[in-house]
Every structure is written in C-alpha cells, then in structure tokens.
Amino acid sequence: MNKRTKQLQRTMEKRNRYSKEQIWNLNIYLTDHIYCALKQFKNQRMYSYPAQFNSEKEWIEILDKIIWSMEEIKNDYPNDPLYNYKYCIPIDGKDIYSQEERDKMEKESDIYYKKIDEGLHLFAKFLQDLWI
C-alpha cells in the first residue's frame, strides 16, 4: 500500500468515527435515524408503491407498522407490558402481582414483541422499495 493510499485510509477512518455513546446503543442510534427518515418519507408525495399492493393506502399501513416498531425501539420499549413489573420493588419482600397477573403480562409482552418483530421484518422485506 503506497503512502497516499494509507493517508486516504486514515482520513476516511477519522471521518467515519462514531462516539462511544452511539456505538454503545447502536440499535437506538440507528432506529432513531431510520424512524425520522421514515416519518419524512411517509409524509412526502408518493409517485408509486410496491407492486404487490393494490393501493397507496396498503403501503401506508405497512409503513405505519414499520415506523411504530422503530419508535418503540428508539424509545427503549416504553409500552412493554412487563416494563412496570421489571422495575417495581416488592413490598415487604412480597411481589405485588399475583401469578395470574404475571402470566397475563408475559403473554401481552410476547404479543408486543411479535408486533415489533413484524415491523422489523417488513422493514427488511421492503427496504428496496423505500423510494418515492
């Protein structure tokens, strides 16, 4: 590798550096940018939509699912039904939730994460269709 190539490589490495905070929570950093871009994309006038849809409305519904998933991830899963359970402090060493309530929250949490996964799968599936 010649001197000029090495210098160019060092310059590119410096230019492409991310902060430790960005790398530490890369999922949050990336979903924040994707979320903002998708919101703006959705609000633009669209000249087409993927061929498998019958209308722009169907495409918008898919975009809404993707955007919702990205928003949940970027905000660190605020609507997870188990969120309050995970962070509550037992009173007198006793859990304030019954076994039935815990089971119900776990089922709701599974549904919640499946909905997030659906949005992420749709994002991957339609990534190449994100153009106006």
Side-chain angles (χ1 to χ4, degrees):
M1 191 180 302
N2 67 30
K3 198 174 190 180
R4 182 176 163 81
T5 305
K6 286 181 184 179
Q7 183 180 7
L8 181 61
Q9 187 177 14
R10 281 193 300 268
T11 302
M12 292 304 290
E13 287 173 1
K14 286 179 185 176
R15 195 178 298 159
N16 292 330
R17 295 237 166 111
Y18 293 94
S19 72
K20 287 183 180 181
E21 292 81 18
Q22 291 166 329
I23 298 299
W24 183 266
N25 287 320
L26 190 58
N27 61 331
I28 307 266
Y29 175 76
L30 292 175
T31 53
D32 184 33
H33 288 279
I34 293 168
Y35 167 79
C36 293
L38 287 172
K39 291 279 288 188
Q40 187 174 344
F41 175 82
K42 181 185 162 200
N43 292 325
Q44 297 295 311
R45 182 169 184 258
M46 293 187 197
Y47 296 97
S48 68
Y49 49 85
Q52 60 262 48
F53 299 117
N54 295 320
S55 68
E56 186 177 319
K57 182 182 176 190
E58 290 178 29
W59 177 227
I60 297 295
E61 289 172 3
I62 295 298
L63 290 174
D64 285 338
K65 289 179 180 182
I66 296 169
I67 289 169
W68 180 85
S69 292
M70 295 295 173
E71 184 175 24
E72 289 299 303
I73 296 168
K74 91 177 190 70
N75 291 327
D76 204 17
Y77 309 96
N79 296 306
D80 179 2
L82 285 176
Y83 180 82
N84 289 330
Y85 177 72
K86 290 175 188 173
Y87 298 104
C88 74
I89 300 169
I91 300 170
D92 297 331
K94 293 184 179 181
D95 196 342
I96 61 171
Y97 294 103
S98 68
Q99 184 63 44
E100 294 87 26
E101 290 172 317
R102 284 196 308 269
D103 290 343
K104 181 182 175 190
M105 284 187 285
E106 286 176 10
K107 287 178 186 176
E108 290 172 355
S109 186
D110 287 344
I111 292 167
Y112 172 79
Y113 282 102
K114 284 178 183 174
K115 188 176 174 184
I116 289 173
D117 286 345
E118 177 189 13
L120 293 175
H121 288 291
L122 290 169
F123 176 70
K125 182 177 180 178
F126 293 109
L127 179 62
Q128 295 182 25
D129 294 306
L130 295 173
W131 58 274
I132 295 178

